[in-house]
Amino acid sequence: MMDGLPLFFLHPVSLYQGAAFPFALLFNYLCTMDSFSIHTRYLFLLAGGGVLALAALGPFAVLVFIPALCAVVLIYAFSPQEVHRWTFCFQMSWQTLCHLGLHYTEYYLQEPPSTRFCLTLSSLMLLTQRVTSLSLDICEGKVAAASGGMRSRSSLSEHLCKALPYFSYLLFFPALLGGPLCSFQRFQARVQVSSNLCPRHSFRALTWRGLQILGLECLKVVMRAVVSAGAGLTNCWHLQCVYVMWSTAGLFKLTYYSHWILDDSLLHAAGFGSEFGQSPGEEGYIPDADIWTLETTHRISLFARKWNQSTAWWLRRLIFQHGRAWPLLQTFAFSAWWHGLHPGQVFGFLCWAVMVEADYLIHTFFAKLFIRSWPMRLLYRTLTWAHTQLIIAYIMLAVELRSLSSLWLLCNSYNSVFPLVYCILLFLLAKRKHKFH
């Protein structure tokens, strides 16, 4: 859903992602050479991930290396039916312990967290996506199981060679600090196939992404000036708080859009982007940013599916499709856990779940039955678009500001009217739907 990393730490991430660009282009170029073997490609991506982790995370890099190593050990130790349960439990337990360290620093010691530790938590969250995606693929038979390999009589070097694709996938440098989730199948297919590098096409695609980032950064400068010049939540009054919420959330969204496009560009430069294509039976490439849909939709449920798309798809596959009771609530509750369980995150994601449920009822039951003429549909769509954007801004501030004091200021402002309207409609329409059936 949201990105998990406090927005003021996205700037150093962008610097490290930018520094990795020449190596991504080099990897893509070397893949055109027959002498650049598959084994060497895996090593290149793994070594690049190790160097980037040490440069960006410093001594905290060990907090990423340990679960990656343990995940591969668990993949080899358990059967395909058991591997997902064990890897999921271990990875989420490890990530939760690290998040508790952040809670201890911020709420008990009242100290600002280390930038590198926050980057480590972000990298851990992305690692959790890759670990659980891989274990699900093994459990569902999409990827050949490696269980029992440790009990074979192969030498240590043979074991390491067989495990190299897993290590490389979990730590490959284009996705270490950001980027859409890349499935193991797609990763393996890209590494094993020689690159058909088209310099003109790649240059055009990267140039277009660069222009998008430049435009978003210019808009960020304008929005930052607007936010800085205005009042904050602590000293705003009445309807002024609505403007403060909208402008602050707009700055947050621009920051995310720019960051996501940069991450996508790095994957494209390395050859893992949408231009690589898709093998039969393989999940397609899912970019995180669909700016047009996010800014024009009047459906909160559609916004939830399109915001950070690859993460939304991962949550749907991991939690929603396996939830027997209240799968929507389970999905958003798990998202709050995955993000770190800060007070604002718990409130924000649970509020988002309620808003999505209300959205389903409003648009499928009320709108289709009672709004027939096109002028009314146009008015309805305009009003619901504005309401959707304001509710999303409310949720975004709750999640990003995180602390209990900031959450209290938000809840006591006029901004709470917008989600409250949907809560009332949910209650009324749920009763009406029950009577209708």
Side-chain angles (χ1 to χ4, degrees), residues 102-122:
L102 181 63
H103 281 254
Y104 177 76
T105 302
E106 285 190 327
Y107 302 126
Y108 183 76
L109 298 180
Q110 298 286 310
E111 295 177 357
S114 162
T115 302
R116 286 189 164 182
F117 184 64
C118 287
L119 293 179
T120 302
L121 287 176
S122 179

Side-chain angles (χ1 to χ4, degrees), residues 243-308:
Y243 175 75
V244 169
M245 178 184 72
W246 174 82
S247 58
T248 306
L251 179 59
F252 287 169
K253 286 198 285 186
L254 289 172
T255 304
Y256 274 123
Y257 295 157
S258 178
H259 182 64
W260 287 340
I261 294 173
L262 177 61
D263 293 339
D264 179 71
S265 301
L266 182 60
L267 279 170
H268 172 79
F272 293 96
S274 55
E275 293 77 6
F276 172 61
Q278 182 179 346
S279 303
E282 174 200 326
E283 290 87 0
Y285 180 81
I286 306 174
D288 282 331
D290 185 353
I291 301 174
W292 175 257
T293 302
L294 291 170
E295 294 301 321
T296 59
T297 184
H298 67 298
R299 300 287 305 269
I300 293 177
S301 55
L302 180 59
F303 190 100
R305 292 194 297 272
K306 292 295 182 179
W307 177 265
N308 202 352

Side-chain angles (χ1 to χ4, degrees), residues 190-204:
R190 170 65 188 89
V191 173
Q192 292 179 355
V193 174
S194 295
S195 174
N196 295 317
L197 187 66
C198 179
R200 183 178 299 176
H201 180 74
S202 296
F203 178 76
R204 190 186 306 120

Side-chain angles (χ1 to χ4, degrees), residues 16 46-65 116 119-120 123 171 173 176-177:
Y16 287 114
L46 177 59
V51 171
L52 182 61
L54 290 171
L57 313 180
F60 294 114
V62 70
L63 296 177
V64 176
F65 295 152
R116 286 189 164 182
L119 293 179
T120 302
S123 184
L171 295 172
F173 72 90
L176 185 75
L177 299 178

Side-chain angles (χ1 to χ4, degrees), residues 277-354:
Q278 182 179 346
S279 303
E282 174 200 326
E283 290 87 0
Y285 180 81
I286 306 174
D288 282 331
D290 185 353
I291 301 174
W292 175 257
T293 302
L294 291 170
E295 294 301 321
T296 59
T297 184
H298 67 298
R299 300 287 305 269
I300 293 177
S301 55
L302 180 59
F303 190 100
R305 292 194 297 272
K306 292 295 182 179
W307 177 265
N308 202 352
Q309 280 190 99
S310 65
T311 296
W313 174 85
W314 169 72
L315 287 168
R316 183 179 183 85
R317 184 188 180 203
L318 183 69
I319 305 297
F320 187 85
Q321 292 178 352
H322 298 278
R324 296 180 181 178
W326 303 93
L328 183 68
L329 184 61
Q330 285 186 44
T331 303
F332 280 94
F334 175 79
S335 184
W337 179 21
W338 180 67
H339 278 83
L341 289 176
H342 293 270
Q345 293 172 340
V346 174
F347 173 82
F349 283 111
L350 293 182
C351 176
W352 201 346
V354 174

